[in-house]
Protein backbone atom coordinates (compact mmCIF):
# COMPACT_ATOMS: atom_id res chain seq x y z
CA UNK A 1 0.00 0.00 0.00
CA UNK A 2 1.24 3.46 -0.96
CA UNK A 3 0.22 6.50 1.09
CA UNK A 4 0.24 9.97 -0.44
CA UNK A 5 -0.03 12.64 2.21
CA UNK A 6 -0.46 16.41 1.93
CA UNK A 7 -0.28 18.16 5.29
CA UNK A 8 -0.82 21.76 6.25
CA UNK A 9 -0.89 23.11 9.76
CA UNK A 10 -4.67 22.79 9.99
CA UNK A 11 -5.48 19.51 8.26
CA UNK A 12 -3.85 16.58 6.49
CA UNK A 13 -5.20 14.72 3.45
CA UNK A 14 -4.33 11.05 2.97
CA UNK A 15 -4.92 8.86 -0.10
CA UNK A 16 -3.99 5.17 -0.16
CA UNK A 17 -3.18 3.45 -3.46
CA UNK A 18 -2.45 -0.15 -4.30
CA UNK A 19 0.57 -1.16 -6.40
CA UNK A 20 -1.41 -0.60 -9.63
CA UNK A 21 -2.43 2.91 -8.65
CA UNK A 22 -6.02 2.12 -7.70
CA UNK A 23 -7.42 4.15 -4.82
CA UNK A 24 -8.07 2.13 -1.67
CA UNK A 25 -9.30 4.87 0.65
CA UNK A 26 -9.14 8.57 1.45
CA UNK A 27 -9.08 10.06 4.92
CA UNK A 28 -8.21 13.25 6.78
CA UNK A 29 -6.55 14.10 10.08
CA UNK A 30 -5.57 17.27 11.86
CA UNK A 31 -2.45 19.02 10.58
CA UNK A 32 0.97 17.45 11.19
CA UNK A 33 3.37 20.38 11.31
CA UNK A 34 6.55 19.19 13.07
CA UNK A 35 7.69 22.77 13.64
CA UNK A 36 4.93 23.38 16.18
CA UNK A 37 3.93 19.88 17.37
CA UNK A 38 5.72 17.29 19.50
CA UNK A 39 6.23 13.67 18.50
CA UNK A 40 3.54 12.69 21.02
CA UNK A 41 0.91 14.96 19.47
CA UNK A 42 1.88 13.93 15.94
CA UNK A 43 1.49 10.28 16.88
CA UNK A 44 -1.83 10.90 18.61
CA UNK A 45 -3.26 12.59 15.53
CA UNK A 46 -2.35 9.60 13.37
CA UNK A 47 -3.22 6.80 15.74
CA UNK A 48 -6.73 8.16 16.34
CA UNK A 49 -7.63 7.72 12.67
CA UNK A 50 -9.40 4.40 12.11
CA UNK A 51 -8.28 3.80 8.51
CA UNK A 52 -4.64 4.59 9.21
CA UNK A 53 -4.55 2.49 12.36
CA UNK A 54 -6.24 -0.46 10.66
CA UNK A 55 -3.83 -0.44 7.70
CA UNK A 56 -0.65 0.65 9.48
CA UNK A 57 1.08 -2.72 8.89
CA UNK A 58 0.07 -2.81 5.20
CA UNK A 59 1.83 0.40 4.19
CA UNK A 60 4.99 -0.11 2.12
CA UNK A 61 5.60 3.46 0.88
CA UNK A 62 4.81 6.84 2.42
CA UNK A 63 5.23 10.04 0.41
CA UNK A 64 4.63 12.90 2.85
CA UNK A 65 4.49 16.56 1.81
CA UNK A 66 4.14 18.81 4.81
CA UNK A 67 4.19 22.33 6.18
CA UNK A 68 7.13 22.80 8.52
CA UNK A 69 9.32 20.26 6.71
CA UNK A 70 11.71 22.69 5.06
CA UNK A 71 14.66 21.91 7.36
CA UNK A 72 16.29 18.69 8.48
CA UNK A 73 15.33 18.52 12.16
CA UNK A 74 11.52 18.61 11.69
CA UNK A 75 11.87 16.16 8.79
CA UNK A 76 13.65 13.75 11.12
CA UNK A 77 11.00 14.25 13.80
CA UNK A 78 8.09 13.28 11.59
CA UNK A 79 10.05 10.49 9.90
CA UNK A 80 10.70 8.99 13.32
CA UNK A 81 6.96 9.05 14.07
CA UNK A 82 6.18 7.38 10.74
CA UNK A 83 8.96 4.78 11.12
CA UNK A 84 7.39 3.62 14.37
CA UNK A 85 3.76 3.75 13.25
CA UNK A 86 4.14 2.33 9.72
CA UNK A 87 6.59 -0.32 10.86
CA UNK A 88 6.55 -2.34 7.60
CA UNK A 89 7.20 0.62 5.30
CA UNK A 90 10.19 0.23 3.00
CA UNK A 91 10.21 3.88 1.91
CA UNK A 92 9.26 6.96 3.94
CA UNK A 93 9.95 10.09 1.91
CA UNK A 94 9.47 13.46 3.63
CA UNK A 95 9.32 16.67 1.60
CA UNK A 96 8.04 20.16 2.38
CA UNK A 97 4.58 21.09 1.16
CA UNK A 98 6.03 23.23 -1.62
CA UNK A 99 6.65 20.07 -3.64
CA UNK A 100 3.01 19.00 -3.38
CA UNK A 101 1.92 22.40 -4.69
CA UNK A 102 4.51 22.18 -7.46
CA UNK A 103 3.46 18.71 -8.59
CA UNK A 104 -0.23 19.64 -8.51
CA UNK A 105 -0.03 22.90 -10.48
CA UNK A 106 2.77 22.51 -13.03
CA UNK A 107 3.85 20.10 -15.73
CA UNK A 108 7.41 18.88 -16.10
CA UNK A 109 9.38 21.34 -18.14
CA UNK A 110 6.93 24.25 -17.73
CA UNK A 111 8.36 27.06 -15.54
CA UNK A 112 6.18 28.76 -12.99
CA UNK A 113 6.16 30.35 -9.55
CA UNK A 114 4.31 28.22 -7.02
CA UNK A 115 2.80 29.82 -3.92
CA UNK A 116 1.11 28.30 -0.89
CA UNK A 117 -1.25 30.59 1.00
CA UNK A 118 -3.26 28.76 3.64
CA UNK A 119 -2.61 28.73 7.36
CA UNK A 120 0.93 29.84 6.45
CA UNK A 121 2.53 31.04 3.22
CA UNK A 122 5.59 30.45 1.06
CA UNK A 123 6.74 30.78 -2.53
CA UNK A 124 9.10 28.88 -4.84
CA UNK A 125 10.34 29.08 -8.41
CA UNK A 126 10.16 26.07 -10.72
CA UNK A 127 12.39 26.65 -13.75
CA UNK A 128 11.09 23.60 -15.59
CA UNK A 129 13.65 21.30 -14.01
CA UNK A 130 14.62 22.38 -10.50
CA UNK A 131 12.88 24.17 -7.65
CA UNK A 132 14.35 27.25 -5.96
CA UNK A 133 13.25 28.86 -2.72
CA UNK A 134 15.23 31.99 -1.94
CA UNK A 135 13.66 32.80 1.42
CA UNK A 136 13.80 30.32 4.28
CA UNK A 137 10.66 30.62 6.37
CA UNK A 138 11.14 31.73 9.95
CA UNK A 139 7.63 30.67 10.89
CA UNK A 140 4.31 32.29 11.60
CA UNK A 141 5.56 34.95 14.02
CA UNK A 142 8.03 36.60 11.66
CA UNK A 143 6.81 35.68 8.18
CA UNK A 144 3.72 34.15 6.50
CA UNK A 145 2.54 37.39 4.86
CA UNK A 146 -0.97 37.14 3.42
CA UNK A 147 -1.71 33.84 5.15
CA UNK A 148 -4.53 32.82 7.45
CA UNK A 149 -2.46 33.35 10.56
CA UNK A 150 -1.25 36.74 9.24
CA UNK A 151 -4.83 37.93 8.79
CA UNK A 152 -5.90 36.46 12.13
CA UNK A 153 -3.07 38.28 13.88
CA UNK A 154 -3.99 41.57 12.22
CA UNK A 155 -7.68 41.20 13.09
CA UNK A 156 -6.93 40.53 16.74
CA UNK A 157 -4.52 43.47 16.97
CA UNK A 158 -6.94 45.84 15.27
CA UNK A 159 -9.81 44.67 17.47
CA UNK A 160 -7.90 45.32 20.70
CA UNK A 161 -6.48 48.61 19.38
CA UNK A 162 -10.05 49.67 18.43
CA UNK A 163 -9.11 49.95 14.75
CA UNK A 164 -11.98 47.82 13.39
CA UNK A 165 -15.18 49.73 12.49
CA UNK A 166 -17.72 49.37 15.29
CA UNK A 167 -20.36 47.44 13.33
CA UNK A 168 -17.74 44.96 12.14
CA UNK A 169 -16.13 44.65 15.57
CA UNK A 170 -19.55 43.85 17.04
CA UNK A 171 -20.02 40.96 14.61
CA UNK A 172 -16.46 39.77 15.19
CA UNK A 173 -16.99 39.64 18.95
CA UNK A 174 -20.25 37.70 18.49
CA UNK A 175 -18.47 34.91 16.64
CA UNK A 176 -15.30 34.48 18.69
CA UNK A 177 -14.07 34.66 22.26
CA UNK A 178 -11.84 37.73 22.02
CA UNK A 179 -11.00 38.13 25.68
CA UNK A 180 -7.32 38.69 26.44
CA UNK A 181 -7.30 35.61 28.67
CA UNK A 182 -8.57 33.32 25.92
CA UNK A 183 -6.25 34.72 23.27
CA UNK A 184 -3.13 34.48 25.42
CA UNK A 185 -4.04 30.97 26.55
CA UNK A 186 -4.27 29.77 22.94
CA UNK A 187 -1.13 31.58 21.83
CA UNK A 188 1.16 30.64 24.70
CA UNK A 189 -0.20 27.49 26.31
CA UNK A 190 -1.97 25.49 23.60
CA UNK A 191 -0.55 23.60 20.58
CA UNK A 192 -0.89 25.02 17.08
CA UNK A 193 -1.01 28.78 17.81
CA UNK A 194 -0.65 29.39 14.05
CA UNK A 195 -3.81 27.38 13.36
CA UNK A 196 -5.61 29.22 16.14
CA UNK A 197 -4.77 32.55 14.53
CA UNK A 198 -5.77 31.31 11.08
CA UNK A 199 -9.32 30.46 12.19
CA UNK A 200 -10.13 34.17 12.35
CA UNK A 201 -9.43 34.56 8.64
CA UNK A 202 -12.81 33.05 7.79
CA UNK A 203 -14.39 36.20 9.26
CA UNK A 204 -12.31 38.26 6.85
CA UNK A 205 -13.38 36.09 3.91
CA UNK A 206 -17.06 36.28 4.87
CA UNK A 207 -16.85 40.08 5.09
CA UNK A 208 -14.39 40.63 2.24
CA UNK A 209 -16.57 43.30 0.61
CA UNK A 210 -16.37 45.58 3.65
CA UNK A 211 -13.93 48.47 3.09
CA UNK A 212 -11.89 47.58 6.18
CA UNK A 213 -11.51 43.96 5.02
CA UNK A 214 -10.69 44.99 1.46
CA UNK A 215 -7.82 47.15 2.70
CA UNK A 216 -6.50 44.44 5.02
CA UNK A 217 -6.61 41.80 2.28
CA UNK A 218 -4.81 44.06 -0.20
CA UNK A 219 -2.17 44.92 2.39
CA UNK A 220 -1.45 41.27 3.20
CA UNK A 221 -1.32 40.18 -0.44
CA UNK A 222 0.88 43.12 -1.44
CA UNK A 223 3.35 42.19 1.29
CA UNK A 224 3.34 38.59 0.03
CA UNK A 225 3.97 39.66 -3.56
CA UNK A 226 6.73 42.13 -2.64
CA UNK A 227 8.52 39.85 -0.18
CA UNK A 228 8.04 36.53 -1.96
CA UNK A 229 6.99 36.64 -5.61
CA UNK A 230 9.11 39.60 -6.76
CA UNK A 231 12.30 38.07 -5.41
CA UNK A 232 12.41 36.13 -8.68
CA UNK A 233 13.71 38.17 -11.62
CA UNK A 234 11.47 36.49 -14.20
CA UNK A 235 8.27 36.80 -12.13
CA UNK A 236 6.56 38.88 -14.81
CA UNK A 237 7.32 36.35 -17.53
CA UNK A 238 5.82 33.17 -16.06
CA UNK A 239 2.50 32.21 -14.40
CA UNK A 240 2.03 32.48 -10.64
CA UNK A 241 0.24 29.40 -9.28
CA UNK A 242 -1.49 29.20 -5.89
CA UNK A 243 -2.49 26.41 -3.52
CA UNK A 244 -4.28 26.82 -0.20
CA UNK A 245 -7.59 27.90 1.27
CA UNK A 246 -6.81 31.63 1.60
CA UNK A 247 -5.67 31.99 -2.01
CA UNK A 248 -8.60 29.85 -3.16
CA UNK A 249 -11.36 31.81 -1.41
CA UNK A 250 -9.71 35.18 -2.11
CA UNK A 251 -8.46 34.44 -5.61
CA UNK A 252 -10.17 37.44 -7.20
CA UNK A 253 -8.57 39.72 -4.64
CA UNK A 254 -5.18 38.10 -5.29
CA UNK A 255 -5.67 38.43 -9.05
CA UNK A 256 -6.31 42.15 -8.63
CA UNK A 257 -3.13 42.58 -6.57
CA UNK A 258 -1.07 40.62 -9.10
CA UNK A 259 -2.38 42.92 -11.82
CA UNK A 260 -0.99 45.92 -9.90
CA UNK A 261 2.49 44.41 -10.31
CA UNK A 262 1.99 43.26 -13.92
CA UNK A 263 1.97 39.61 -12.85
CA UNK A 264 -0.09 36.78 -14.34
CA UNK A 265 -2.16 34.38 -12.24
CA UNK A 266 -1.94 30.70 -13.13
CA UNK A 267 -3.78 27.82 -11.49
CA UNK A 268 -5.51 28.20 -8.12
CA UNK A 269 -6.22 25.04 -6.10
CA UNK A 270 -7.71 24.67 -2.65
CA UNK A 271 -5.90 21.38 -2.05
CA UNK A 272 -3.11 19.69 -4.04
CA UNK A 273 -3.90 16.08 -3.11
CA UNK A 274 -5.67 15.12 -6.36
CA UNK A 275 -2.80 16.53 -8.39
CA UNK A 276 -0.39 14.52 -6.26
CA UNK A 277 -2.15 11.30 -7.24
CA UNK A 278 -1.81 12.11 -10.95
CA UNK A 279 1.85 13.03 -10.51
CA UNK A 280 2.71 9.82 -8.68
CA UNK A 281 0.83 7.67 -11.18
CA UNK A 282 2.63 9.33 -14.07
CA UNK A 283 6.15 9.64 -12.70
CA UNK A 284 6.72 7.77 -9.44
CA UNK A 285 4.42 4.78 -9.37
CA UNK A 286 6.04 1.67 -7.97
CA UNK A 287 5.55 -1.16 -10.45
Amino acid sequence: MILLVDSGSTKTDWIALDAEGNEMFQTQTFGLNPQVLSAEILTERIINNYELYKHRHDVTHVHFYGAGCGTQKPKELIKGVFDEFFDKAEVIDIKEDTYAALYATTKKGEPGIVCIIGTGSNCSLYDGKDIEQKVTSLGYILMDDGSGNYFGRQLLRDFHFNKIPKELAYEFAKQFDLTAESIKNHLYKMPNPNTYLAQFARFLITNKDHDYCKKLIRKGFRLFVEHQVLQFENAKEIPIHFVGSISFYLQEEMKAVLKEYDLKMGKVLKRPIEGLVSYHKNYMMVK
Side-chain angles (χ1 to χ4, degrees):
M1 181 186 295
I2 302 161
L3 278 181
L4 304 182
V5 193
D6 171 57
S7 179
S9 293
T10 302
K11 58 184 178 299
T12 302
D13 293 312
W14 306 70
I15 290 186
L17 307 176
D18 64 19
E20 284 70 48
N22 301 307
E23 183 179 317
M24 300 179 70
F25 66 84
Q26 291 192 35
T27 191
Q28 193 173 82
T29 64
F30 288 119
L32 302 173
N33 187 334
Q35 290 277 16
V36 296
L37 297 174
S38 66
E40 290 74 21
I41 294 177
L42 292 169
T43 301
E44 179 183 354
R45 292 187 171 189
I46 300 170
I47 205 170
N48 285 334
N49 182 280
Y50 173 75
E51 292 286 355
L52 297 177
Y53 187 80
K54 182 174 72 171
H55 295 288
R56 67 193 186 281
H57 301 309
D58 303 322
V59 175
T60 59
H61 294 71
V62 180
H63 297 280
F64 179 87
Y65 303 86
C69 293
T71 55
Q72 193 59 30
K73 189 171 181 180
K75 282 184 180 180
E76 292 173 356
L77 173 61
I78 202 155
K79 187 177 186 303
V81 170
F82 284 176
D83 280 335
E84 185 172 344
F85 189 76
F86 302 112
D87 57 354
K88 305 298 182 185
E90 304 165 13
V91 174
I92 295 179
D93 183 37
I94 310 294
K95 287 185 171 69
E96 61 180 323
D97 54 353
T98 300
Y99 285 88
L102 168 68
Y103 296 154
T105 58
T106 65
K107 294 181 180 179
K108 280 195 171 183
E110 295 184 1
I113 291 174
V114 181
C115 309
I116 298 175
I117 308 185
T119 300
S121 66
N122 61 49
C123 178
S124 301
L125 171 69
Y126 176 58
D127 64 7
K129 183 179 179 181
D130 298 313
I131 189 169
E132 178 185 4
Q133 194 170 40
K134 286 189 176 181
V135 175
T136 300
S137 176
L138 298 178
Y140 74 98
I141 295 176
L142 297 178
M143 292 189 172
D144 283 0
D145 292 330
S147 69
N149 69 67
Y150 167 87
F151 288 126
R153 185 166 64 246
Q154 299 306 310
L155 284 167
L156 290 178
R157 284 173 54 85
D158 284 357
F159 179 83
H160 280 274
F161 282 129
N162 298 312
K163 298 294 185 182
I164 298 180
K166 288 184 178 181
E167 73 280 5
L168 203 62
Y170 174 76
E171 292 299 323
F172 192 38
K174 279 174 59 178
Q175 295 184 31
F176 300 99
D177 182 351
L178 301 177
T179 61
E181 181 181 5
S182 176
I183 292 170
K184 288 190 285 186
N185 182 58
H186 280 91
L187 290 180
Y188 301 113
K189 296 183 180 180
M190 303 285 284
N192 282 88
N194 54 336
T195 301
Y196 166 74
L197 287 171
Q199 70 170 324
F200 299 106
R202 70 175 185 260
F203 180 82
L204 189 73
I205 294 170
T206 301
N207 296 280
K208 65 180 185 177
D209 294 328
H210 192 287
D211 284 344
Y212 164 83
C213 296
K214 286 181 181 179
K215 291 177 182 177
L216 181 53
I217 292 167
R218 282 198 300 268
K219 178 183 176 182
F221 284 171
R222 284 169 178 161
L223 286 173
F224 179 83
V225 169
E226 291 173 5
H227 291 159
Q228 294 281 2
V229 178
L230 293 180
Q231 66 183 299
F232 301 112
E233 295 178 358
N234 60 341
K236 296 184 179 181
E237 302 166 11
I238 56 179
I240 319 295
H241 304 296
F242 293 88
V243 169
S245 58
I246 298 298
S247 54
F248 180 80
Y249 289 115
L250 296 175
Q251 56 186 283
E252 292 303 318
E253 288 75 14
M254 176 57 81
K255 188 175 182 179
V257 169
L258 291 180
K259 189 175 181 180
E260 294 177 15
Y261 296 89
D262 197 24
L263 299 168
K264 181 176 68 174
M265 179 174 274
K267 293 181 181 178
V268 183
L269 303 176
K270 184 179 179 182
R271 303 185 307 164
I273 191 68
E274 299 298 338
L276 273 182
V277 173
S278 298
Y279 176 85
H280 276 264
K281 285 184 178 180
N282 290 333
Y283 301 114
M284 296 180 66
M285 202 69 220
V286 177
K287 305 298 182 183

